[in-house]
């Protein structure tokens, strides 16, 4: 495995969390609490566990609460903070990727909640793929209103199809990029999922790493489900939960 000290990290946290606001949360999405801890806190813990301290984070220009929190709590990271409103998830992703050059990178969305050990397993497993391979975190825990379905070939770990109305797993908001980034069309994409689907359709080496349980935090009920599973209770020590 490559040294984690050479791996860069990225967090996409530029969404406005409109569905959480509709459910009564009045903080920025990175500051929405799960078991009393902000999503950004849980996310940083995962990078700490993996030994990744070089981070690029993108938040939107209404997330002053998150910016202040990072100033007070992220001093142990080499932090590159981008404060910018972007038109799409793809634009946010590409903005982060453009700052992560010269080394492999693992990027996560702020609303993907998983145990720290599963995050570490993802990073370790990704380094075992071919040097030009992209890896996506996958799970069979489906709780998203509009999941991105993936069909995984278990024989070689490649994702054969991405998108559509069914598949073997759904994506989990976790992405591994090799040091040599794949090229993208100059036209761009409306959504990150469109870009990922294009990579698979173009037969780029896109692999899948299955994680036992990932919660996508979009609504109050998602927070309640994650808390009921024991997520977020203790720093760096996730409670055990039933898996199937």
């Amino acid at each position: 495995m490559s040294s984690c000290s050479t791996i860069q990290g990225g967090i996409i946290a530029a969404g406005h969390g409109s569905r959480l606001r509709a459910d009564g949360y009045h903080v920025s999405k990175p500051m929405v609490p799960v078991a009393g801890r902000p999503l950004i806190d849980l996310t940083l813990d995962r990078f700490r566990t993996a030994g990744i301290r070089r981070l690029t984070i993108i938040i939107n220009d209404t997330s002053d609460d998150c910016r202040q929190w990072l100033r007070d709590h992220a001093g142990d990271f080499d932090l590159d903070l981008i404060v910018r409103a972007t038109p799409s998830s793809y634009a946010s992703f590409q903005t982060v990727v453009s700052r992560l050059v010269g080394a492999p990178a693992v990027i996560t969305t702020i609303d993907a909640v998983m145990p720290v050990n599963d995050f570490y397993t993802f990073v370790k497993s990704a380094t075992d793929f071919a040097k030009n391979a992209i890896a996506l975190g996958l799970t069979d825990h489906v709780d998203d209103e509009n999941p991105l379905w993936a069909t995984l070939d278990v024989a070689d770990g490649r994702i054969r199809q991405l998108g559509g109305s069914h598949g073997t797993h759904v994506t989990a908001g976790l992405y591994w990029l090799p040091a040599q980034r794949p090229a993208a069309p100059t036209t761009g994409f409306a959504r990150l999922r469109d870009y990922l689907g294009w990579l698979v359709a173009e037969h780029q080496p896109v692999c899948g790493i299955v994680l036992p349980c990932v919660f996508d935090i979009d609504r109050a009920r998602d927070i309640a489900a994650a808390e009921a599973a024991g997520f977020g209770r203790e720093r760096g020590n996730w409670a055990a939960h039933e898996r199937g």
Side-chain angles (χ1 to χ4, degrees):
M1 177 179 173
S2 301
S3 170
C4 284
S5 64
T6 66
I7 299 171
Q8 301 176 85
I11 302 173
I12 300 173
H16 289 279
S18 56
R19 285 173 288 184
L20 285 163
R21 287 185 180 275
D23 284 346
Y25 288 87
H26 300 296
V27 294
S28 67
K29 190 167 187 179
M31 295 302 296
V32 167
V34 175
R37 295 179 60 196
L39 287 171
I40 187 65
D41 191 18
L42 301 177
T43 307
L44 291 184
D45 244 12
R46 297 196 291 272
F47 283 99
R48 287 189 181 100
T49 298
I52 299 171
R53 296 303 177 102
R54 296 179 60 196
L55 276 183
T56 294
I57 305 175
I58 185 168
I59 61 176
N60 65 54
D61 52 5
T62 64
S63 298
D64 284 342
D65 53 353
C66 181
R67 178 164 46 181
Q68 294 173 13
W69 188 94
L70 287 168
R71 181 191 61 198
D72 296 336
H73 298 87
D76 56 327
F77 285 92
D78 178 3
L79 190 63
D80 173 23
L81 180 62
I82 304 168
V83 181
R84 185 179 306 170
T86 60
S88 68
S89 55
Y90 175 72
S92 296
F93 179 81
Q94 286 295 82
T95 299
V96 170
V97 169
S98 70
R99 308 283 271 266
L100 304 175
V101 295
V106 57
I107 301 173
T108 184
T109 56
I110 193 66
D111 48 13
V113 171
M114 68 199 75
V116 291
N117 289 339
D118 288 351
F119 181 86
Y120 177 78
T121 296
F122 174 85
V123 175
K124 184 177 184 302
S125 299
T127 63
D128 292 334
F129 288 121
K131 289 185 178 180
N132 65 333
I134 302 153
L136 308 184
L138 305 178
T139 183
D140 55 12
H141 176 77
V142 184
D143 69 342
D144 198 319
E145 295 174 353
N146 185 28
L148 178 56
W149 287 97
T151 299
L152 180 66
D153 186 337
V154 295
D156 62 3
R158 291 278 293 269
I159 294 175
R160 300 301 178 185
Q161 182 174 333
L162 203 60
S165 59
H166 64 279
T168 60
H169 301 83
V170 297
T171 58
L174 194 52
Y175 317 99
W176 168 272
L177 297 178
Q180 183 63 42
R181 308 286 190 255
T186 56
T187 53
F189 297 91
R191 303 173 300 175
L192 176 54
R193 63 175 54 200
D194 297 330
Y195 169 64
L196 299 174
W198 175 84
L199 290 173
V200 173
E202 290 293 308
H203 305 291
Q204 297 274 356
V206 182
C207 300
I209 299 171
V210 179
L211 306 174
C213 188
V214 180
F215 284 90
D216 182 29
I217 306 298
D218 286 323
R219 293 190 181 277
R221 64 172 179 262
D222 302 324
I223 297 172
E227 290 176 342
F231 285 25
R233 289 178 183 168
E234 296 182 26
R235 183 174 298 278
N237 182 19
W238 296 75
H241 59 281
E242 294 295 327
R243 297 179 177 179

